[in-house]
């Protein structure tokens, strides 16, 4: 049973920073990529960033490029999302997810495992 547990969300002023963590337990996901998604009230759950466990390759949605950075610590089975220069439009629940490497990257339906999410609120 794979479990993903996010932490690190909170309330921050515009221009501030937060670091989200996602701890993976239950099995090794070496053939998976780890993604971060976010969902604002009344909106769809959208792709934010992704990293491949084995190679460390990353990809970002355009709106966060240059501000967010995804990384992983293989020894600790943890994925991070460093968020800098936060904007009010970044306010959302942020979810960690895992997808097999053979599946798609940005489509949330391609992801097999999900955490429960962590709230990020950015005040103006």
């Amino acid at each position: 049973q794979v479990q993903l547990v996010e932490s690190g969300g909170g309330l921050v002023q515009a221009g501030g920073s937060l670091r989200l963590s996602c701890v993976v337990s239950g099995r090794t996901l070496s053939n998976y990529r780890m993604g971060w998604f976010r969902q604002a009230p009344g909106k769809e759950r959208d792709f934010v960033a992704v990293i491949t466990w084995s190679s460390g390759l990353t990809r970002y949605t355009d709106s966060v490029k240059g501000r967010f950075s995804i990384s992983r610590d293989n020894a600790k089975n943890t994925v991070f999302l460093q968020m800098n220069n936060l904007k009010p439009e970044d306010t959302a629940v942020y979810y960690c997810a895992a997808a097999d490497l053979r599946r798609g990257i940005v489509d949330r339906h391609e992801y097999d495992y999900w955490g429960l999410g962590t709230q990020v609120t950015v005040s103006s």
Side-chain angles (χ1 to χ4, degrees):
Q1 183 79 14
V2 175
Q3 285 191 319
L4 307 180
V5 179
E6 305 96 335
S7 62
L11 173 63
V12 64
Q13 288 188 330
S17 298
L18 285 173
R19 189 193 197 204
L20 305 184
S21 299
C22 172
V23 178
V24 181
S25 62
R27 58 169 283 195
T28 300
L29 298 179
S30 55
N31 293 324
Y32 278 67
R33 55 173 62 93
M34 299 299 299
W36 285 97
F37 287 75
R38 64 187 179 185
Q39 188 168 18
K43 296 190 176 182
E44 304 249 326
R45 190 173 298 187
D46 293 329
F47 168 78
V48 175
V50 68
I51 188 167
T52 302
W53 270 120
S54 55
S55 66
L57 288 174
T58 61
R59 180 172 169 178
Y60 301 88
T61 192
D62 286 346
S63 63
V64 308
K65 286 180 181 177
R67 300 189 298 122
F68 290 12
S69 177
I70 189 171
S71 61
R72 91 280 193 221
D73 184 330
N74 289 8
K76 295 182 179 179
N77 277 354
T78 302
V79 177
F80 305 99
L81 185 67
Q82 178 67 44
M83 306 186 295
N84 299 327
N85 190 21
L86 282 160
K87 303 176 181 181
E89 51 264 43
D90 294 318
T91 295
V93 178
Y94 282 70
Y95 297 90
C96 175
D100 186 279
L101 287 177
R102 295 167 292 181
R103 305 186 71 177
I105 295 176
V106 300
D107 184 346
R108 66 183 185 275
H109 299 105
E110 300 288 336
Y111 285 73
D112 301 306
Y113 304 106
W114 289 87
L116 295 180
T118 184
Q119 176 70 46
V120 171
T121 304
V122 184
S123 63
S124 57

